Amino acid sequence: MKNPTPLPAVFAALLSFTACDGASPRPGEAPAPTIPEAPAPVGAAPVAEPVPVPVPGLGATDYVPLHAAGTQVMEQIQYREADGTLVTLAGFRPTNRHARERGEPWDAPDVGPGNYFTFPTWYFQNRSFGLVIRDGVPAGRSRIEISLRVNNGTFVETGLSAFRRVDPDIRDYGWKMNVGFQNPLEGNRNICRSTSAREDCMVVITDNWRAPVPGTPLQVGDVIEVTPAPYLEHTADNRAVIDGGGIRYYSFEQLYQVGVGMRPWYGVAPVLDSVPLPASTLLGGEASVSYNYSEEPHRVFQQMANNIGIANTQRFVEGRRLFHTSFVDGKHSESPNINPVFTAHANQRGPRFNNVSCIGCHALNGRSVAPVPGSRLDTLAIEVAASSAPTGVTPDATYGLNVQQRAQDAAAPDYSVSVQAYETTVRTLPDGETVQLQKPVYAFKGPVPAQFSVRQAPQVIGGGLLEAIDEATILNLADPTDANGDGVRGVPNWVINPETGDRHLGRFGWKASKASLRQQAADALLKDLGVTSPVYKSLACQRGTPGCNATTAATSISETELQRLDAYLALLGVPAQRSLRSGYTDGIRVSPEHDVNPALIARGSALFAQVQCVSCHTPQLTTGANHPFAELRNQTIRPYTDLLLHDMGPGLADTLTQGQAGPSMWRTAPLWGVGSLRYVQGGAQHVRYLHDGRARTLMEAIAWHGGEASNSRALFETLSKADRDAVLAFLESL
């Protein structure tokens, strides 16, 4: 139901979980009067006395579901026709090279990285497309029609490779079938346009070319590895007619299972042949990212959901462009002198800020840069308050709701924050192993805030799947009174929607202080970049100023662009668990990320449950049926989180309260992707764990677990060294 009482004018959830003004006008209500903006000088204290910002209470009976029942999908990704024909709409994006260009026998000297997981120049315009796969096998026919659908522009002489084989007569990358999309010729060329009808640009498959005997009819369960080769209509000097960019690309190599749909895959013998990954490895359900064999584990957090639709692929790449755009000069972080400049966002960085782009803090979609004593922590966030309580927060008079450490004006006050030193202690385990723990001591160039909390940027994966979990699923995991007596409680945090005033369940941020990816993104845009959006319309919202959202001025980010950014964050896939051995050919070096011990990982998984880590790190959840993206609905996922708050003890406490999240309360962090951090962050020595990045290893992170996690930590520490190593191997596989 709706919140029954009117919200005060400043319920400003920019404490990182509320907004800057009251609820949006309900139908029939007059809009709030426009309040002219009068920004204070850079670094100056606000004119008005800071006002406490109320927050919702613990009650779970008057919340509004984030996604209402019956929400329509943005795009269908699969359906059945009346006769049983299965239709799958699969999105594709261009790539520079092949999926196995590191690991094939003819590529043995190459140790990577490859060029498959990268995003080519101009990727965000006129180059995404998809396949419409009409599978007649479930309807009793050995016939599959694969049509090319172009999102924008025109493709010419585009081909399809399919049915990977390793026969002696097969060359290149092992595809038995190499054909062009057939359609009525225009002149002497096959052309596929974004306006093409279904019957145009089609390939028809009637036999299983993977079968040993030619002419074998297709059956449900057969697999077809498919990879289209897009080729844009171009001028004589090889420039794309539509925009002057590149013209020839490879694409993702995807696995279609007859009668089922697109499946994440891994490579088996011989020569990394492709088969569907078992369900137990699919941390992100069917949205999981397939195993990668191009030696690019550092790029694994940047990939689309495996089951992404065709139109949603274009939304994804457009959102990614914004994520990589500098709000100083509008340039793309990749190939800035080749990719078109996003001129609409040049010179939009705020007067105070922490970074100039989203990717600046989430490099390669990973975490903050590891803190170095004496260096400015401008890839981390420092939330602050003059005072805070479960009922509200009073913004800091100097900083507002967070410290913006950098300023455009060279004469502005220096508000940088750094690690001054580390307080170290040694924890001795029962068998004598020691773990050195370090706790950061911070130095503020500006005034030291009365209350503050330092947070590292987390990896950016799987957010859409977490957003798609029904509230009831999460609330059923809560045990605020410890009814089962295991010492683990778990309580929800409640968040006010800054645009509607509705109360939602918190699920994002280190303290579950944001309800949605939209709010999370808008919060970061404002606080870290000084960029306004339809969620936070004025820079005054960063200071908790009453009525800050009453402005009618245009925001830096439009509604359309915010939706694209939201789509990008929602449709990022989760790497599949690396718990299986891959079928590398004898004599070929196994890529480090795939050099795993399945038996050790399985043992570690069982021990992880045995020592009760799963009391908070819930291994498996199922998403609901109401998210706008069909890709995220009804997925069995393995995030290892309950999205609830838990008291982690005084050792991990900060001094800031956010709703139900007191200083020692933290949301259970999802564990998916934790094993890829060593690659994404540029080496294990650059990986940091826990909210403020104090832990350098998983052992340190576990050793810091107190409060509700004390019993589980103690059980882990009493394991033998070999068993502890098995648990760590399991975590590294996620």
Side-chain angles (χ1 to χ4, degrees):
M1 68 180 74
K2 298 287 185 184
N3 194 334
T5 57
L7 292 167
V10 184
F11 65 81
L14 275 171
L15 168 66
S16 78
F17 60 89
T18 47
C20 301
D21 62 355
S24 300
R26 299 290 197 266
E29 293 182 343
T34 299
I35 301 176
E37 292 187 63
V42 175
V47 175
E49 186 70 21
V51 180
V53 181
V55 296
L58 180 61
T61 59
D62 59 348
Y63 69 89
V64 176
L66 191 60
H67 303 295
T71 298
Q72 295 296 305
V73 295
M74 298 286 288
E75 173 189 20
Q76 278 190 312
I77 60 172
Q78 192 173 68
Y79 61 92
R80 289 189 185 272
E81 296 180 341
D83 67 352
T85 297
L86 180 67
V87 181
T88 300
L89 297 93
F92 285 76
R93 69 165 179 88
T95 67
N96 283 308
R97 293 302 302 171
H98 294 287
R100 298 178 183 84
E101 279 198 76
R102 196 282 123 193
E104 295 281 9
W106 49 82
D107 231 11
D110 181 12
V111 296
N115 206 1
Y116 172 69
F117 263 1
T118 56
F119 285 74
T121 53
W122 303 77
Y123 69 88
F124 43 78
Q125 58 189 46
N126 307 315
R127 286 160 180 78
S128 71
F129 60 99
L131 298 180
V132 180
I133 303 173
R134 298 188 69 253
D135 183 352
V137 178
R141 304 186 303 276
S142 183
R143 178 184 175 91
I144 296 177
E145 301 171 356
I146 302 178
S147 300
L148 182 71
R149 180 174 294 178
V150 183
N151 275 322
N152 298 289
T154 301
F155 288 7
V156 59
E157 304 293 358
T158 291
L160 176 75
S161 297
F163 290 100
R164 193 162 188 278
R165 292 278 293 263
V166 291
D167 302 30
D169 63 322
I170 295 178
R171 56 182 295 275
D172 296 329
Y173 286 85
W175 293 293
K176 182 73 172 178
M177 178 180 182
N178 295 279
V179 297
F181 286 93
Q182 302 300 310
N183 62 304
L185 295 178
E186 296 186 22
N188 61 351
R189 301 182 304 167
N190 282 313
I191 293 183
C192 300
R193 304 183 186 279
S194 56
T195 55
S196 294
R198 179 181 66 80
E199 293 77 11
D200 289 344
C201 309
M202 183 184 293
V203 171
V204 177
I205 299 173
T206 57
D207 298 330
N208 182 4
W209 288 38
R210 283 175 62 110
V213 180
T216 301
L218 290 161
Q219 298 182 28
V220 171
D222 290 343
V223 292
I224 310 170
E225 182 174 324
V226 295
T227 177
Y231 195 28
L232 276 66
E233 189 173 28
H234 55 279
T235 61
D237 60 349
N238 288 327
R239 295 180 180 273
V241 170
I242 195 166
D243 57 20
I247 63 170
R248 180 69 173 88
Y249 303 93
Y250 299 93
S251 75
F252 256 44
E253 295 165 23
Q254 297 283 60
L255 194 67
Y256 179 77
Q257 187 164 32
V258 177
V260 178
M262 309 308 294
R263 296 296 310 280
W265 61 273
Y266 78 116
V268 299
V271 199
L272 299 176
D273 196 10
S274 49
V275 297
L277 276 162
S280 61
T281 67
L282 301 182
L283 302 182
E286 294 300 325
S288 300
V289 178
S290 301
Y291 281 15
N292 169 246
Y293 298 106
S294 56
E295 201 84 23
E296 297 174 272
H298 52 298
R299 299 187 178 111
V300 74
F301 288 168
Q302 301 184 62
Q303 308 311 313
M304 305 185 303
N306 187 77
N307 59 346
I308 194 168
I310 301 173
N312 285 341
T313 298
Q314 183 59 29
R315 295 183 178 101
F316 178 93
V317 294
E318 288 177 345
R320 185 183 190 273
R321 180 193 190 186
L322 189 59
F323 198 83
H324 283 253
T325 292
S326 165
F327 288 91
V328 174
D329 54 21
K331 290 185 176 181
H332 197 285
S333 67
E334 302 161 336
S335 303
N337 297 322
I338 300 176
N339 274 319
V341 174
F342 209 159
T343 55
H345 297 299
N347 303 311
Q348 286 191 331
R349 173 193 56 180
R352 293 208 70 97
F353 59 97
N354 287 322
N355 223 302
V356 300
S357 65
C358 300
I359 200 69
C361 289
H362 300 277
L364 298 178
N365 283 7
R367 297 190 171 190
S368 297
V369 174
V372 175
S375 297
R376 183 171 55 202
L377 302 179
D378 55 8
T379 65
L380 286 79
I382 293 91
E383 306 276 333
V384 298
S387 63
S388 60
T391 54
V393 59
T394 301
D396 183 88
T398 299
Y399 304 116
L401 294 168
N402 74 303
V403 181
Q404 294 176 314
Q405 300 180 54
R406 300 163 65 182
Q408 289 193 49
D409 185 353
D414 182 356
Y415 288 158
S416 59
V417 182
S418 63
V419 174
Q420 176 178 305
Y422 285 103
E423 297 175 348
T424 60
T425 57
V426 175
R427 184 170 185 83
T428 302
L429 277 55
D431 62 0
E433 181 179 354
T434 59
V435 183
Q436 186 186 66
L437 304 181
Q438 60 176 23
K439 182 177 181 179
V441 178
Y442 297 103
F444 289 77
K445 286 290 182 67
V448 178
Q451 297 180 351
F452 67 93
S453 179
V454 178
R455 320 280 180 75
Q456 69 163 320
Q459 64 264 31
V460 186
I461 56 170
L465 292 164
L466 298 180
E467 193 177 67
I469 302 170
D470 284 343
E471 285 81 0
T473 299
I474 300 170
L475 294 174
N476 284 339
L477 298 172
D479 185 13
T481 62
D482 190 18
N484 64 6
D486 65 354
V488 177
R489 290 174 289 279
V491 298
N493 208 353
W494 296 102
V495 179
I496 295 297
N497 185 322
E499 298 177 272
T500 65
D502 292 332
R503 179 183 300 190
H504 297 306
L505 178 67
R507 36 183 110 204
F508 297 107
W510 288 100
K511 295 208 173 194
S513 55
K514 271 83 72 178
S516 65
L517 289 171
R518 178 183 174 95
Q519 184 184 5
Q520 173 90 359
D523 180 272
L525 286 167
L526 180 72
K527 291 164 142 183
D528 295 325
L529 306 176
V531 171
T532 58
S533 71
V535 180
Y536 301 119
K537 299 176 182 178
S538 165
L539 295 181
C541 293
Q542 186 274 337
R543 307 197 65 82
T545 304
C548 67
N549 257 359
T551 178
T552 57
T555 55
S556 302
I557 300 295
S558 69
E559 176 61 29
T560 297
E561 289 172 324
L562 184 59
Q563 289 180 13
R564 289 169 178 164
L565 184 59
D566 182 58
Y568 170 66
L569 295 172
L571 293 169
L572 281 164
V574 176
Q577 183 182 10
R578 292 170 290 105
S579 54
L580 303 174
R581 294 292 290 184
S582 297
Y584 284 92
T585 302
D586 290 344
I588 297 296
R589 182 183 64 87
V590 176
S591 298
E593 70 270 27
H594 295 301
D595 192 7
V596 300
N597 183 333
L600 185 65
I601 291 168
R603 180 176 159 211
S605 176
L607 290 166
F608 186 80
Q610 178 181 309
V611 299
Q612 301 174 24
C613 297
V614 295
S615 297
C616 299
H617 292 284
T618 305
Q620 182 172 301
L621 297 167
T622 301
T623 65
N626 298 312
H627 197 282
F629 290 120
E631 295 89 335
L632 309 176
R633 293 185 173 191
N634 303 309
Q635 295 296 320
T636 299
I637 62 175
R638 295 162 181 83
Y640 292 90
T641 179
D642 57 10
L643 295 178
L644 295 169
L645 299 172
H646 294 272
D647 188 339
M648 298 299 290
L652 287 177
D654 56 22
T655 56
L656 189 67
T657 294
Q658 293 182 310
Q660 297 305 309
S664 62
M665 300 285 283
W666 300 96
R667 180 196 70 156
T668 304
L671 296 180
W672 54 16
V674 72
S676 293
L677 287 174
R678 64 173 60 215
Y679 306 107
V680 176
Q681 301 297 132
Q685 70 276 19
H686 300 302
V687 179
R688 295 294 182 270
Y689 305 94
L690 301 179
H691 64 281
D692 55 5
R694 69 178 64 182
R696 295 158 293 185
T697 66
L698 287 168
M699 277 293 293
E700 283 185 51
I702 295 169
W704 273 110
H705 280 49
E708 295 177 38
S710 296
N711 181 57
S712 183
R713 185 203 66 225
L715 290 172
F716 170 79
E717 292 176 343
T718 58
L719 295 174
S720 68
K721 176 70 163 59
D723 282 351
R724 292 197 300 270
D725 288 345
V727 173
L728 298 179
F730 159 68
L731 293 173
E732 289 285 359
S733 76
L734 297 179

